[in-house]
Amino acid sequence: MSTMHKIGMAELDVCKAPDAITTLGLGSCIGCVIYDPVSKICGMVHVMLPDSTQIRNNEKIAKFADTGVRELLRVVLEAGATKSRLIAKIAGGAQMFAFKTDNEMLKVGQRNAEAVTKALNDLKIPIAVSDVGGNNGRTIEFYPEDGRLLVRCVGKSTYCI
């Protein structure tokens, strides 16, 4: 019998097939999965903000791209994954509100996507697929048994990436 692991905002978790992992309500947030296709071990983090150094109360490391992705890698490796086989899949980073401005601080979704991508690149983990941007919130489910990332998008059909 398999279990669906649910992670909330600013949280992370690890699982192994046949279990799966999900996070709800990705608006400007990013859901990042790091996955070992051989051991079928994966982890997911729900990143809310790009940079922990810009916030005073930043103890919740899963909340930020710079600390959350690094911690996700640590726990996935601790669970038995092999670094050389790891791949990532990311989704989210929507622009949830329409602003007529060039103020980059208001483009949280775009900044989150860029920060998660940079963190993964710095850790030398290739991004296999990315479904970021747009104006719709997402819920994602990852199935390490076969590597499927199921995306449910508000107002759209469910699709797999």
Side-chain angles (χ1 to χ4, degrees):
M1 176 126 181
S2 63
T3 300
M4 178 63 79
H5 296 251
K6 295 181 173 108
I7 64 168
M9 292 174 72
E11 294 180 352
L12 62 81
D13 197 4
V14 175
C15 75
K16 182 175 181 171
D19 290 356
I21 195 164
T22 185
T23 192
L24 313 173
L26 294 171
S28 60
C29 298
I30 296 283
C32 173
V33 174
I34 295 177
Y35 169 59
D36 178 340
V38 176
S39 69
K40 309 233 184 270
I41 294 169
C42 74
M44 182 186 289
V45 62
H46 185 132
V47 170
M48 293 175 62
L49 294 168
D51 185 0
S52 65
T53 65
Q54 303 297 309
I55 306 291
R56 281 199 195 135
N57 296 323
N58 61 5
E59 296 83 26
K60 190 129 174 116
I61 59 177
K63 185 176 191 174
F64 305 96
D66 61 334
T67 54
V69 173
R70 193 174 336 120
E71 178 65 5
L72 180 62
L73 171 61
R74 187 190 71 73
V75 298
V76 166
L77 293 175
E78 189 176 85
T82 300
K83 179 139 183 349
S84 62
R85 296 191 300 239
L86 295 178
I87 58 171
K89 295 187 176 191
I90 63 174
Q95 178 67 37
M96 297 303 293
F97 307 101
F99 292 112
K100 297 272 188 204
T101 181
D102 290 328
N103 184 341
E104 291 299 314
M105 292 305 288
L106 297 177
K107 296 179 181 175
V108 178
Q110 177 183 329
R111 289 176 36 241
N112 280 340
E114 290 167 357
V116 168
T117 299
K118 180 184 182 323
L120 290 166
N121 287 338
D122 289 350
L123 295 168
K124 300 189 176 6
I125 299 172
I127 299 172
V129 291
S130 173
D131 183 45
V132 298
N135 302 100
N136 295 316
R138 297 167 175 88
T139 289
I140 60 173
E141 297 174 2
F142 185 75
Y143 296 87
E145 185 64 46
D146 59 11
R148 282 179 299 137
L149 182 65
L150 195 67
V151 181
R152 296 187 199 318
C153 213
V154 177
K156 293 185 176 182
S157 298
T158 299
Y159 52 96
C160 220
I161 59 171

